[in-house]
Amino acid sequence: MKNDLIELYSDYLLSSSGKTTATGVSELLDNVYSHDQFTRLLSNNEFTSRDLWLYVKPVVRQVECSDGVLIFDDTIQEKQFSKENALNTWHFDHT
């Protein structure tokens, strides 16, 4: 069941365009799973990069090829007309 919850919650995060909550995913699933189950999943586990790899590895193996690459890009693009505030502020660019 833990894997089912992880899968459902990650799909919910990927498909949502607005604010995401445990209550929101529970309501979306017609309360088949309670928001408490999602809250416990997130607060009782410490997910690591190993967990992520084990989760995505089957998909990566399906599409891998000898001349392919997998790129993770955490680039932050500056927008010249944005105003700085508490949520939108300067970030350190490690490059």
Side-chain angles (χ1 to χ4, degrees):
M1 178 157 107
K2 178 180 168 185
N3 286 339
D4 291 342
L5 288 177
I6 292 171
E7 180 115 7
L8 287 170
Y9 197 72
S10 59
D11 286 347
Y12 170 67
L13 293 175
L14 289 170
S15 63
S16 295
S17 60
K19 181 174 63 172
T20 58
T21 63
T23 306
V25 70
S26 179
E27 289 174 0
L28 185 67
L29 298 170
D30 294 327
N31 296 309
V32 172
Y33 298 100
S34 74
H35 71 279
D36 291 329
Q37 288 175 284
F38 289 104
T39 301
R40 277 192 298 274
L41 170 75
L42 297 171
S43 59
N44 292 339
N45 293 285
E46 186 173 320
F47 297 105
T48 65
S49 57
R50 183 179 191 284
D51 297 316
L52 175 62
W53 174 243
L54 292 175
Y55 184 73
V56 300
K57 184 178 179 179
V59 176
V60 171
R61 294 297 183 224
Q62 286 178 354
V63 297
E64 75 178 328
C65 61
S66 60
D67 61 344
V69 296
L70 180 62
I71 299 172
F72 291 92
D73 186 359
D74 63 350
T75 303
I76 300 173
Q77 295 293 325
E78 181 180 358
K79 296 177 181 149
Q80 69 187 85
F81 299 108
S82 294
K83 296 199 186 310
E84 186 174 348
N85 60 42
L87 295 175
N88 184 21
T89 187
W90 290 99
H91 296 277
F92 175 72
D93 182 358
H94 64 277
T95 60

